[in-house]
Amino acid sequence: QVLMRKGVPSDVKLWKLLLIAIFTGFAGGHHYYVGRYKMGAFYSVFFAIGLTYAIVTNVIKNIKITFAFELFYILVLVWGVVIFMWIIDIAKICLNKYKIPVSRD
């Protein structure tokens, strides 16, 4: 069984967690570091969607907006939410309020 604990356990270095969150947090790096793989995958998927959107819009600027592009715009809004969550995670780490899974043992 796994519990969520506020604060940093002894096997996780706070300075390393903060650096990972700052430089790779937008893609979920800090979640992977502490073992929160589902949340890390969530960040990674929507980061990839946002990156693909940026590439597509810069390469193909004069295409009519179709249903597929409208769906893409909706997904990019979720990417904005992930970026907001990333900033909140950095603040939680700085304030030592970030929840990390630990085992009951």
Side-chain angles (χ1 to χ4, degrees):
Q1 295 211 4
V2 175
L3 299 172
M4 297 301 277
R5 166 190 170 173
K6 286 185 181 175
V8 180
S10 60
D11 60 337
V12 175
K13 304 291 183 221
L14 182 63
W15 64 270
K16 190 183 286 188
L17 179 61
L18 184 60
L19 285 176
I20 291 171
I22 290 170
F23 293 109
T24 67
F26 50 86
H30 59 296
H31 290 297
Y32 291 118
Y33 177 65
V34 297
R36 296 177 73 186
Y37 301 113
K38 289 180 185 176
M39 187 61 88
F42 174 79
Y43 275 57
S44 296
V45 165
F46 285 104
F47 171 72
I49 289 170
L51 186 63
T52 305
Y53 167 75
I55 292 169
V56 167
T57 55
N58 284 325
V59 171
I60 308 169
K61 290 186 177 181
N62 296 325
I63 290 182
K64 287 184 179 179
I65 295 176
T66 63
F67 175 73
F69 277 97
E70 289 175 8
L71 180 62
F72 218 53
Y73 287 125
I74 291 169
L75 292 175
V76 170
L77 289 176
V78 177
W79 188 54
V81 171
V82 169
I83 296 298
F84 179 73
M85 290 168 51
W86 167 52
I87 293 168
I88 297 296
D89 284 347
I90 291 173
K92 284 181 180 179
I93 292 168
C94 289
L95 297 172
N96 208 16
K97 301 283 185 184
Y98 184 71
K99 291 185 179 181
I100 298 174
V102 293
S103 77
R104 279 193 163 191
D105 298 336

